[in-house]
Amino acid sequence: MRNNKLRTFLFFFMISVLLWLGSQLAKTYTHVFNVPVVYKNLPKKYYKGFLPNDTLYVKARLTGYRILKNKIAPPVFYLDVQNNDLINEQQWTPFTYKNQISELLGGDNRIVTITPELIHFDIRAVDKKKLPVVADVDLSFKPGFAPVKQAELKPDSVWAYGSSRVLDSLTQVTTRHYDINNIGKNVSKRLTIKKINGVKFNVNEVAYNLPVSEIIEGQTQVKLYVKKLPSGLNIILLPETVTVKYKYFKSDLDQINLNSLKVSVFYKPQKKYWKIVLDRPVNGIFDVQFIPEKVSYLIKQTHD
């Protein structure tokens, strides 16, 4: 019984609250709205990054319902630059657009005041220049890890807008400084472009991607070959095989074919020892070392 009474009380209480709230929202109030101005249809030789950030303060009388709706979805006033000749006029009067602003507020409203009364529109034509982006990044890796290749920036260049005097002095743009430590996997990060006074960019960030993998050490035995050996000679190499030590990235393991590995020495009878060279490299391996690094030899004359 107590639960039923409580539910009944709460039900009628909520009904009363909703009716009271509805009656309050139906009343008319005076409220000041902050309406940002967005300039559109700018001529091509002007860059939107230099547009002023203007705001209108609109005092209006309207219902509580309409105030609540405009609080949830704030109105924005769009002003066409070319159609209103703002480049030449360099100023405009907001109250001239009273009807358009009233439509933004919606409902049966009455605008009392719009401030400021006059807005100056100061924008100048600017030049543009495409500049490469340089990432200012210091990297430190976990032991046994290294970058597979150089980092990639997207985009790797940006459009810079400003006066020709400033742009002519620029050869590149850099990002803010970043320290990335203890790296043991691929790096993917957004880098912010460093600001330059009097210059705007078409983007403010670039994507930085650096493939990273673990370095693995391997070794194999390979038979030596003699290059530029004259006919009629038989060479005995001491030793005839060499241990090849190498490194590779773990991520490249499936692409490595050691069957194509070939090492050799050049026939140089004036030398006591012949240095071993990598004759046919293998894609995916690096830091190749030979044990031993050079070999001795015996020259045996063959008879026809």
Side-chain angles (χ1 to χ4, degrees), residues 7-8 35 141 181 197 219 223 233 240 247 258 260 263 280 295:
R7 283 196 291 268
T8 303
V35 181
F141 298 86
N181 302 313
N197 289 336
Q219 67 178 44
K223 183 179 178 181
L233 290 183
E240 294 183 339
K247 295 178 182 178
L258 291 176
S260 62
V263 293
R280 185 184 298 164
V295 297

Side-chain angles (χ1 to χ4, degrees), residues 30-31 33 35 56-62 94-95 97-106 108-115:
T30 300
H31 185 80
F33 295 94
V35 181
L56 302 178
Y57 301 95
V58 181
K59 185 177 183 180
R61 288 188 56 78
L62 65 175
F95 205 81
Y97 303 90
K98 175 183 175 182
N99 292 338
Q100 293 94 313
I101 297 171
S102 178
E103 289 179 7
L104 287 176
L105 299 180
D108 186 14
N109 67 78
R110 181 171 67 84
I111 292 179
V112 180
T113 59
I114 302 176
T115 54

Side-chain angles (χ1 to χ4, degrees), residues 25-74:
L25 291 176
K27 293 180 180 180
T28 300
Y29 302 88
T30 300
H31 185 80
V32 178
F33 295 94
N34 296 350
V35 181
V37 179
V38 175
Y39 296 98
K40 64 178 184 177
N41 193 21
L42 193 66
K44 289 185 177 180
K45 63 180 180 179
Y46 296 86
Y47 181 57
K48 62 182 181 180
F50 291 96
L51 285 170
N53 296 316
D54 292 322
T55 301
L56 302 178
Y57 301 95
V58 181
K59 185 177 183 180
R61 288 188 56 78
L62 65 175
T63 64
Y65 284 113
R66 184 54 59 179
I67 293 175
L68 180 61
K69 183 175 181 180
N70 288 327
K71 286 286 187 181
I72 296 173

